[in-house]
Amino acid sequence: MKPLSLRFMIISAALAALILLGGSLWLLSGLSPAAQSAAAPKEAKSPAAVSQTKAVQPVLPESKPLPVSEALSQRVTEYHIDVQLDADARALQATETVTWIHPGQKPVQELYFHLYPNAFTSEKTTFMKESGGELRGDTMPENGYGSMTITDLRTTEGVSLMQRMQYVQPDDGNINDKTLVKVHLPQPVNGGESVTLKIQFEVKLPKIFARMGTAGNFVMAGQWFPKLSVYEPKGTRGVQEEGWDLHQYHGTSEFYSDFGIYNVTISVPANYIVGATGFPVKSAQIKQDRKIYQFYADDVHDFAWAASPDFVVAEEAFSAPNVPGVRIKLYLDPLHKDLQERYFQATKAALTAFSKWYGPYPYSTLSIVVPPKEGNGAGGMEYPTLITAFGAAESSPGMSLERTVIHEIGHQYFYGMVANNEFEEAWLDESFTSYAEDRLMEQEYGVSSSAALQASMVTVPQQLNLETWKYSAADGYTRNVYIRGKLVLKDIEQQVGTKTMDAILLAYARKYRFKHPSTADFQKIVEKVTKQSWQDYFDQYVYSGGAPDFSVDRITTGSGKNSADGVEARYEATVEVSNKGSGYANVPVKFTFTDGYTVQQFWNGEQKTTAFQLSYKAPLASVDIDPGHSILLESKHLNNFMLAELAPKTLSRWTLSVTKLLETLLGTLVW
């Protein structure tokens, strides 16, 4: 790692000056970030506040104003949160002031909030029932339950809404699931208007096994605050009727939120260090035995933070083409304190490549948190401007260190800026990020993956735009959303060429930057760039679980015969092949003869079966369909090959037995 340069110090000074200048402008104007917008929405007022006696309510701290930046997104939400960590009790005490700007047209009288920590209240919640208390190999620790409780909820006029809350379970009707709550408002909110609520809440942090919680003195606060659901105007992701997109927290689901502004004050014990989404407004302040941090982020759709007294912190400033300037921050477990250079190198490689391929990185910070070994359940996760690496299980990890960092930084683009609905179309972030990860790992480190082996793991192909909890099992979700979807993208690239695929992905990322795209939106970009219809392809391989399944069905050979004029003998052969799966064109078929000569022909794939007639001076030895495994979407390769010299009955039994054996073995692999 190079020492800090003069350029580094100049960039640092410039960033500090910008923050101070922004604060000064705010003070001179007397306006908040929301008020600086060109057309400030009118807040919906509650008539109940006029007729009712104003209730006495707890004091809710008001966050300090912050610099205003040019909006990159619609900024539907604005959160001001003050939270205090009680490390001994594994608890958070917090207040939240949240403003929602109605992005649609129809009057709305209910708001919906995700209360994600309630997924861990008991074994009866939807998340726990579906996951079995396990996620990505980590299991729920003993007595590791957690929860979220809203202790006060009011309008800005002081009207209590506590009796207007109702837990809802739109996906499975599980009455024991309290991860989604409806709040009935005193008065409807019309399109373009805003409504502000004040919330007090408590979180009993679970012991980490699934993204959030505590492990010793390490804290991962992900999905830790009451978060508004997404209200989709007509046309968003192709919806025909505007309305709320409502889902519980499932065993395989991740998240979906609107872009907005976050101003978060975090109070921790004095010896703790905090890393968070966004950037610190000022240096942490010590007050009595507490350390107070204040972070700000805009044009993001989530806010996460991590805390520990053991973090080893390192920072570097970095800029590159399409990366105007970003401060990279590492929060390392002590076991990885000597691996700073590897983390920085992987981060810089990812920012440089992804910003070139998918558009500039627009934020001023990027934080990487390395959990301790026992907090691995929080590792390998993405949040806006903050990612977590895998837990520090060893002091000299393999390339999984770089691969994880690169993958999670890829999510800053697909999910972070191109913000798809992870409940319903998870492949739009996981498959796209996995595709980008593979490409960069090969480019930067020379590490390539075996597409054929990965394809063989997709034993039950299913449609890609499927709600995550509807896949056949947890491994069905993983193998389709992470592997099969990535192979679909690689297959498209193979058909159109790398240059055209780059143009497709860049056009998609540009058009839907800071928006909520759908699979159909991506299809339109593919068709626009290639100037042809891809409907049949998407119908087979995206909107359904299509996969080709090529088979050498029969080889019939004849004895060599000398011709009358003395020309050497010719051996005749008929080879019957079929595709027992989805249609696919330009299928290579390789024929090998006993003298070592090979010839490759292409099957157009228009019919389910075809036959090849061969004549050569030596007998046919074998037939191999797609010998180079160039057709990435086929998962069953073993019936692609057949030896000619075996008797048909023996050949069929041998092929079937070996196929079943190897497919069983491959089916036990974990991605």
Side-chain angles (χ1 to χ4, degrees), residues 6 45 65 112 128 130 138 160 240 248 273 288 293-294 301 312 326 372 453 455 496 513 529 539 552 589 627 664 666:
L6 176 62
K45 299 297 183 181
Y112 291 85
M128 293 296 290
E130 291 179 353
D138 295 291
S160 174
Q240 298 301 309
Q248 300 154 239
I273 298 168
Q288 297 179 347
Y293 290 82
Q294 187 178 1
H301 49 72
V312 177
V326 58
L453 178 59
V496 303
R513 191 176 176 88
V529 173
D539 284 343
V552 182
V589 184
T664 300
L666 289 172

Side-chain angles (χ1 to χ4, degrees), residues 307-448:
S308 171
D310 299 328
F311 280 146
V312 177
V313 181
E315 296 187 10
E316 281 193 17
F318 176 67
S319 63
N322 298 302
V323 186
V326 58
R327 182 172 291 277
I328 303 170
K329 302 181 179 182
L330 302 182
Y331 299 87
L332 302 170
D333 179 82
L335 189 62
H336 280 195
K337 66 180 180 179
D338 296 325
L339 301 178
Q340 295 179 20
E341 187 172 5
R342 289 179 62 181
Y343 283 103
F344 279 125
Q345 286 180 348
T347 301
K348 292 173 184 178
L351 285 172
T352 301
F354 297 156
S355 293
K356 176 184 177 182
W357 298 341
Y358 312 126
Y361 183 78
Y363 306 111
S364 62
T365 59
L366 177 60
S367 297
I368 296 92
V369 174
V370 181
K373 176 182 179 180
E374 58 272 20
N376 187 61
M381 190 60 195
E382 69 277 3
Y383 306 94
T385 78
L386 182 148
I387 67 168
T388 62
F390 274 133
E394 51 187 311
S395 58
S396 299
M399 292 302 295
S400 60
L401 184 156
E402 284 80 7
R403 184 175 286 278
T404 303
V405 169
I406 286 171
H407 181 92
E408 304 309 336
I409 292 176
H411 278 304
Q412 297 300 308
Y413 301 82
F414 298 110
Y415 148 87
M417 287 176 270
V418 184
N420 62 288
N421 183 336
E422 292 186 294
F423 289 112
E424 299 177 13
E425 297 179 287
W427 88 287
L428 289 176
D429 56 282
E430 296 299 354
S431 298
F432 283 57
T433 298
S434 296
Y435 168 91
E437 166 206 326
D438 274 6
R439 180 178 178 184
L440 186 56
M441 285 298 295
E442 185 166 4
Q443 172 183 296
E444 193 70 18
Y445 299 101
V447 177
S448 58

